[in-house]
Amino acid sequence: MKKIIVFLYLTNNKKAKKYLSYFKEQLKDFDLKTFEELKKDELERCKVAIVLDSTKEQLQSFPNLIWVQSVKAGVEKLIEQLNGSQVQISRLIDNQLSYTMANTVLAWVYCIQKNIYAYKIQQNNSIWNEIEEQENEDTNIAILGLGELGLKSANKLLENDFKISAWARSKKDVKNIKMYYGDDGLDEILTHADIVVCLLPLSKSTRNIISKDKINLMKKGSAFINFARGAIVDYEAIELSINNGQIKHAVLDVFNTEPLDKNSTLWANEKISILPHVSAITNLKTASKISSDNVNKYYNEGKFPSFINKELGY
Ligand code: NAP
């Protein structure tokens, strides 16, 4: 009898059908089912779930689930839904995703450093005015979170001669990157940066970590980019700092509630660039291949993929 693998998604997710077709191709030896297709005995036989999106109720329906493969890098929702259960979580680790994020970070850093956003505002007001441009080697960029995405982004910026510092949890020695740790380290890195790029996971210890007090430490005329999760940053404080001239521009790709509320004041602020959670769009082909390889390895070789630390939250 073929082993059951379930693919969990929410019906409003436009990518689900395509994902499902890729998984069907890559998991031919398995009986791949959607949640709705599962009969009671199949729910009981299912040990592995591949998750695009899920509900807590769906996850609780599998009495023998051992691990889930997320097709996303950020797994804070899964951690919350699996709170108190023994089920392990494998997150997506995909070079293609890191490469996409690194290119997006570089593009927006240049947008700020070359004053592209500011020239657009000038154009809207028919203003012909040269804005002073800082050299790359004089531009301090702080990367908050030097993991899969942060490290690739930092290296891409280093290739472009920017000055890089980074903030992480555990000690590391990375060539040409000045490291900072702990609460004092966060204060220090924020004080020195011309551009802050947030690439932290959302966890108990990072929720609202970029608070009003931290934002107030940022250099006058600096810029802030959040490509991680909305709940890490106090956007009210970001808006306030923009309006009082302390921060010159913010690029926000992620929000506490997505889509961003139509009535949000962030939309109309010309010094804020709003993106609809697109800084690193998942490549469905590579993500489904990596996820399928993990499932195949588990069943064919008895090898688990690496699991996140649920206590740390990433
Ligand atoms: P990751 O590999 O898990 O790296 C996380 C980094 O953050 C690590 O360097 C870690 O430090 C650091 N960190 C975690 N908690 C910390 C704390 N309390 N204090 C200091 N540093 C801390 O994650 P990733 O793959 O780079 O992804 C980061 C996040 O990006 C994801 O969780 C997701 O939310 C977001 N994301 C967004 C998009 C998008 O399109 N907007 C796409 C993909 C992912 P250590 O190295 O010391 O462990």
Side-chain angles (χ1 to χ4, degrees):
M1 198 187 323
K2 280 184 172 179
K3 302 269 192 301
I4 298 276
I5 304 287
V6 66
F7 176 60
L8 298 180
Y9 64 95
L10 301 182
T11 43
N12 62 358
N13 195 315
K14 291 183 197 146
K15 294 178 180 168
K17 270 202 179 133
K18 202 157 209 179
Y19 256 128
L20 201 55
S21 71
Y22 287 138
F23 280 124
K24 285 218 157 117
E25 226 164 80
Q26 282 153 0
L27 294 168
K28 285 204 175 98
D29 296 341
F30 298 88
D31 206 354
L32 182 73
K33 302 240 165 163
T34 64
F35 187 76
E36 292 69 32
E37 289 169 341
L38 289 172
K39 299 186 190 91
K40 189 169 179 293
D41 69 302
E42 291 173 329
L43 278 169
E44 283 167 10
R45 278 169 45 215
C46 187
K47 292 182 180 170
V48 180
I50 298 174
V51 180
L52 173 57
D53 297 301
S54 53
T55 63
K56 192 169 180 171
E57 291 66 38
Q58 282 179 334
L59 289 168
Q60 280 174 344
S61 326
F62 300 95
N64 297 309
L65 195 63
I66 298 173
W67 62 279
V68 298
Q69 174 64 53
S70 169
V71 292
K72 294 181 182 173
V75 287
E76 71 283 351
K77 274 193 199 132
L78 264 178
I79 295 175
E80 195 189 311
Q81 291 176 349
L82 288 169
N83 186 18
S85 105
Q86 297 296 311
V87 176
Q88 299 286 355
I89 301 169
S90 165
R91 57 154 286 195
L92 178 70
I93 299 179
D94 184 352
N95 272 331
Q96 183 63 41
L97 186 79
S98 313
Y99 171 80
T100 304
M101 180 60 94
N103 282 333
T104 308
V105 168
L106 182 68
W108 282 98
V109 159
Y110 268 129
C111 179
I112 292 160
Q113 188 258 352
K114 295 218 156 280
N115 298 305
I116 295 171
Y117 72 91
Y119 286 122
K120 188 68 200 157
I121 297 172
Q122 288 194 172
Q123 182 184 342
N124 291 342
N125 297 290
S126 312
I127 295 172
W128 182 280
N129 170 51
E130 183 181 319
I131 305 168
E132 198 183 324
E133 198 174 298
Q134 197 173 32
E135 295 297 335
N136 292 20
E137 55 268 31
D138 297 329
T139 307
N140 283 304
I141 303 181
I143 311 276
L144 309 183
L146 199 66
E148 296 292 332
L149 305 181
L151 184 59
K152 267 261 167 50
S153 301
N155 284 329
K156 178 68 82 183
L157 293 166
L158 281 172
E159 284 168 22
N160 283 265
D161 303 320
F162 288 101
K163 240 164 128 174
I164 308 298
S165 53
W167 187 67
R169 200 181 49 80
S170 55
K171 293 254 177 302
K172 45 189 113 256
D173 191 9
V174 194
K175 200 172 165 214
N176 295 328
I177 301 181
K178 187 163 167 40
M179 292 301 306
Y180 292 87
Y181 309 96
D183 197 46
D184 290 348
L186 181 58
D187 289 359
E188 218 179 311
I189 196 171
L190 290 174
T191 313
H192 295 127
D194 296 301
I195 303 175
V196 175
V197 182
C198 179
L199 284 171
L200 288 163
L202 175 60
S203 69
K204 281 184 285 197
S205 59
T206 62
R207 185 172 289 276
N208 202 35
I209 197 164
I210 309 302
S211 60
K212 189 176 178 183
D213 287 351
K214 298 290 179 206
I215 291 164
N216 284 340
L217 293 174
M218 285 176 60
K219 218 163 141 174
K220 187 165 169 52
S222 59
F224 186 85
I225 299 177
N226 188 11
F227 288 163
R229 287 292 184 261
I232 297 171
V233 185
D234 181 344
Y235 281 172
E236 251 180 58
I238 288 279
E239 205 180 2
L240 214 69
S241 301
I242 284 194
N243 292 341
N244 70 25
Q246 187 202 349
I247 293 182
K248 64 176 179 184
H249 198 79
V251 184
L252 310 177
D253 179 48
V254 282
F255 301 88
N256 225 341
T257 306
E258 296 180 358
L260 176 63
D261 191 329
K262 283 224 164 15
N263 296 319
S264 168
T265 51
L266 299 173
W267 285 110
N269 197 319
E270 56 183 3
K271 293 183 179 168
I272 300 179
S273 298
I274 306 248
L275 301 171
H277 202 137
V278 290
S279 51
I281 296 174
T282 315
N283 178 314
L284 269 51
K285 270 193 187 156
T286 56
S288 55
K289 170 85 171 63
I290 289 162
S291 304
S292 302
D293 284 353
N294 283 347
V295 172
N296 279 316
K297 249 192 209 144
Y298 171 67
Y299 276 110
N300 298 336
E301 299 169 33
K303 281 190 189 146
F304 284 113
S306 60
F307 294 134
I308 59 111
N309 181 328
K310 286 200 270 179
E311 202 33 54
L312 286 177
Y314 69 101

